Amino acid sequence: MNIEVDREALLDAGPWKRNLIVCVFGSFTTIVGMTLLLPFLPLYVEQLGVTDHAAIVQWSGVAYGATFFSAALTAPLWGRLADRYGRKLMLIRASLGMAIAMSLIGMAHNVYELVGLRLLTGLLGGYASGSTVLVAAQTPKARSGWAIGVLSAGIMAGSLVGPLIGGVLPGLIGIRATFFLIGGVIFFTFLGTTFLIREEARPKTAKGGKARGGWSLVPDKRPVVAMWGTGLLLMVANMSIEPIITVYVAQLVEAPQVTFVAGLVMSAAAFGSLLSSSHLGKLADRVGHWRIITICLAVSALLLIPQAFVVSGWQLILLRFLMGLALGGLLPCIASVIRHNVPDAVTGSMLGYSISAQYAGQVIGPLGGGFIGGHIGMPGVFLGTSVLMALGAIGNFVVERKD
């Protein structure tokens, strides 16, 4: 009994819980900053001088995607620098950089500046991904699934709340003032990160100056590659229906309700993941992260099949919500498996590549979903994604058995 109490006290010792609180708040605010412009982005593009309707839509898509494009390219770099110079330092850089970039977006004079500043936001940002690296590295391994699950919940909450705030604030204070306000909020994240986060000592680089490449330090590369592929599949599953959802919902409900129901469908999976991520992460700490990953992928594959044959909007909303509950366990478990299978000195690099794979899924998902929906039919999007998730479950099961 005393041994168990001492073990619990040891796990609770250290600054990791305070670090987690700061990282959750910081990830929430920065994700809100990246997503709040969704509802009013076309209006801002029009304010910046674009008048043709098709051009407004085109530039809005370019401006929104620019941040995620540059973030995908730089995530491995920031992860590698975090391993060498400190994970806290990368969070300070990201929060200050985003605070400045978000404020500058409110000063844009034309659409070219807007796109450039959105690229800069992705380049300088990466707070959420940096938080994942720090929390994964600094949290006791026995609590890593739960901690990353809580962090994932904060990230997903930011994705849900951002568009809601963006739908309200511009009407109250104006579009430019909205960017100034969120820039100020993210500046508080910078202050909290600077003064409240405590980072434990990192493993020192071997003498001789140069550190060996991160990939060469990984003893067994199969689990890491499997997790990269799983992260990509997760985002493909989440994003594959984005291009077709409004058209698909239009076949299920009356015209006046289409946009409302489509919005609920888009939010249902994220809301389900928000509710389940910390609980599944905690369960994974007890029963095994890889087991939860395999089960989550298999359940998601099964839930995708009836989505191709729904006859009403509420059925689709319910199935997407249930799918979100299942997918909520993947992000914390992916990070935990990587953490358990790579040396501490390269944790940031390997998680950085994992985050890039997830960003790639955010690109491949909509592209693939739009192509299949347009050429094969919308049920094919759900069935095709189901096959991918089933293959992912089988692949993870096989790799785990060989481990």
Side-chain angles (χ1 to χ4, degrees):
M1 182 67 179
N2 288 336
I3 294 176
E4 183 64 26
V5 171
D6 291 343
R7 178 176 177 273
E8 290 295 318
L10 185 62
L11 288 174
D12 288 335
W16 67 270
K17 283 190 173 180
R18 182 174 61 185
N19 291 351
L20 176 62
I21 293 171
V22 176
C23 286
V24 169
F25 173 78
S27 298
F28 174 81
T29 56
T30 52
I31 293 296
V32 166
M34 291 175 71
T35 59
L36 92 166
L37 81 169
L38 259 178
F40 62 83
L41 181 56
L43 298 177
Y44 195 38
V45 169
E46 189 175 8
Q47 278 188 19
L48 294 176
V50 181
T51 55
D52 179 70
H53 177 72
I56 289 173
V57 174
Q58 180 180 349
W59 279 111
S60 296
V62 170
Y64 185 71
T67 293
F68 300 99
F69 174 74
S70 57
L73 294 178
T74 55
L77 171 64
W78 296 138
R80 190 174 182 84
L81 291 177
D83 287 333
R84 295 191 64 182
Y85 301 111
R87 286 132 192 176
K88 175 181 175 179
L89 182 62
M90 290 300 105
L91 292 183
I92 292 173
R93 173 203 57 75
S95 53
L96 181 59
M98 277 205 68
I100 295 172
M102 292 302 300
S103 300
L104 289 175
I105 290 175
M107 303 178 188
H109 295 94
N110 55 60
V111 72
Y112 302 106
E113 291 182 5
L114 173 62
V115 172
L117 289 168
R118 287 287 292 176
L119 283 168
L120 184 67
T121 301
L123 177 66
L124 296 179
Y127 191 96
S129 56
S131 292
T132 303
V133 173
L134 184 135
V135 170
Q138 300 286 307
T139 303
K141 289 186 177 181
R143 297 284 178 85
S144 62
W146 171 80
I148 299 171
V150 172
L151 179 62
S152 298
I155 293 171
M156 283 178 280
S159 299
L160 284 173
V161 173
L164 296 177
I165 293 176
V168 175
L169 271 184
L172 299 176
I173 62 176
I175 290 177
R176 294 185 184 275
T178 298
F179 287 114
F180 298 150
L181 178 60
I182 193 64
V185 172
I186 295 175
F187 185 74
F188 279 104
T189 293
F190 160 72
L191 294 177
T193 301
T194 302
F195 296 109
L196 296 180
I197 285 183
R198 294 289 181 269
E199 183 178 9
E200 297 172 6
R202 303 184 309 284
K204 291 185 178 180
T205 317
K207 289 183 179 180
K210 292 184 179 179
R212 287 192 296 153
W215 189 238
S216 64
L217 295 176
V218 179
D220 186 358
K221 298 172 174 57
R222 291 171 303 139
V224 178
V225 174
M227 291 306 101
W228 291 351
T230 301
L232 186 145
L233 279 180
L234 166 63
M235 292 306 170
V236 167
N238 271 330
M239 305 296 292
S240 61
I241 72 161
E242 292 290 319
I244 67 163
I245 190 60
T246 303
V247 179
Y248 193 51
V249 168
Q251 300 176 2
L252 306 174
V253 302
E254 299 295 328
Q257 298 179 314
V258 169
T259 54
F260 175 70
V261 174
L264 290 178
V265 171
M266 290 180 185
S267 301
F271 184 59
S273 296
L274 171 64
L275 295 180
S276 69
S277 59
S278 61
H279 299 291
L280 286 175
K282 189 174 183 178
L283 177 63
D285 287 334
R286 296 204 310 268
V287 305
H289 302 100
W290 224 325
R291 181 177 300 176
I292 294 298
I293 287 173
T294 303
I295 293 172
C296 286
L297 288 171
V299 171
S300 300
L302 292 174
L303 288 170
L304 278 160
I305 296 173
Q307 292 177 44
F309 305 105
V310 293
V311 294
S312 65
W314 71 264
Q315 292 175 344
L316 186 58
I317 292 170
L318 176 61
L319 288 167
R320 294 300 290 182
F321 173 73
L322 293 175
M323 186 172 154
L325 289 176
L327 293 176
L330 289 181
L331 280 179
C333 290
I334 288 169
S336 295
V337 169
I338 292 175
R339 163 92 193 277
H340 284 74
N341 285 277
V342 303
D344 289 342
V346 295
T347 299
S349 298
M350 297 303 106
L351 286 172
Y353 284 114
S354 176
I355 291 160
S356 283
Q358 293 164 30
Y359 280 127
Q362 288 182 300
V363 176
I364 294 170
L367 289 177
F371 180 82
I372 294 173
H375 291 80
I376 299 176
M378 284 172 280
V381 177
F382 297 102
L383 297 177
T385 307
S386 174
V387 171
L388 288 177
M389 299 298 275
L391 291 174
I394 294 170
N396 275 279
F397 180 78
V398 170
V399 174
E400 180 193 14
R401 289 295 176 180
K402 290 182 178 180
D403 193 31

